[in-house]
Amino acid sequence: MRDAFHEELDSISDSLVEMTRLVGSAMARATTALLDADLALAESVIAADDQVDQIQHSLDDTSFDLMARQQPVAGDLRTLITSLRMSADLERMGDLARHVAKVARRRYPQSAIPPELRGTIVEMGSIAEELVAKVGSIIAAREWTVCTGACSRP
């Protein structure tokens, strides 16, 4: 029974990694759409946000279900609570990328960014992509499930 529980915890981590991949891509494409006044790219970011939302809802449902069925304690409970918070933050990042894409769509065919601010926007987009990529690698390496004392899983 506990093996199935840990497999479900692992699937939550995999879903979080997938969310980071999708959100990172959305941020990169939204930044490009904003800078280049690319309507098709902006529309693809807006449409893709539904997938991030669906993953978040599924992840949250799974986390709540595990808490109800398994009554996890200590490290496992912290892992589940942390995954809920991370999924909400990642979903919000996806929403922000969608918002940037909507700004690009609203200003089309002109660019929403004045030429003197292009470098700043490029840098901001790059930093955001780098941060979400680091989050994804930390989750994938399972470094976010820190145990204190005796851990119930390796």
Side-chain angles (χ1 to χ4, degrees):
M1 190 67 157
R2 292 310 278 179
D3 288 338
F5 173 72
H6 289 288
E7 285 175 17
E8 290 188 78
L9 284 178
D10 290 341
S11 78
I12 287 172
S13 293
D14 294 342
S15 293
L16 287 169
V17 170
E18 177 67 7
M19 282 183 79
T20 62
R21 188 188 65 74
L22 292 171
V23 168
S25 173
M27 289 189 306
R29 292 180 302 128
T31 302
T32 301
L34 186 67
L35 292 168
D36 298 343
D38 188 330
L39 183 61
L41 195 56
E43 293 291 348
S44 74
V45 172
I46 294 165
D49 187 55
D50 288 341
Q51 186 178 7
V52 173
D53 294 346
Q54 289 172 355
I55 292 172
Q56 189 224 359
H57 293 303
S58 173
L59 203 154
D60 289 356
D61 289 346
T62 301
S63 295
F64 288 126
D65 183 60
L66 283 174
M67 282 190 265
R69 285 186 300 109
Q70 298 290 332
Q71 299 176 347
V73 294
D76 292 336
L77 182 59
R78 282 190 296 275
T79 297
L80 287 170
I81 298 301
T82 302
S83 72
L84 289 169
R85 295 187 66 140
M86 277 196 264
S87 72
D89 289 343
L90 289 167
E91 190 275 333
R92 181 69 183 132
M93 291 171 79
D95 288 348
L96 291 171
R98 183 187 69 214
H99 177 74
V100 169
K102 285 182 175 182
V103 170
R105 180 176 68 180
R106 192 171 29 254
R107 294 298 304 267
Y108 180 81
Q110 286 82 34
S111 174
I113 305 301
E116 62 271 11
L117 294 178
R118 287 182 67 80
T120 302
I121 299 301
V122 167
E123 185 178 357
M124 289 170 62
S126 179
I127 290 169
E129 289 174 58
E130 185 179 322
L131 287 173
V132 78
K134 284 182 181 180
V135 168
S137 66
I138 288 168
I139 295 168
R142 307 294 197 254
E143 294 173 10
W144 62 288
T145 55
V146 178
C147 294
T148 56
C151 293
S152 61
R153 62 189 279 206

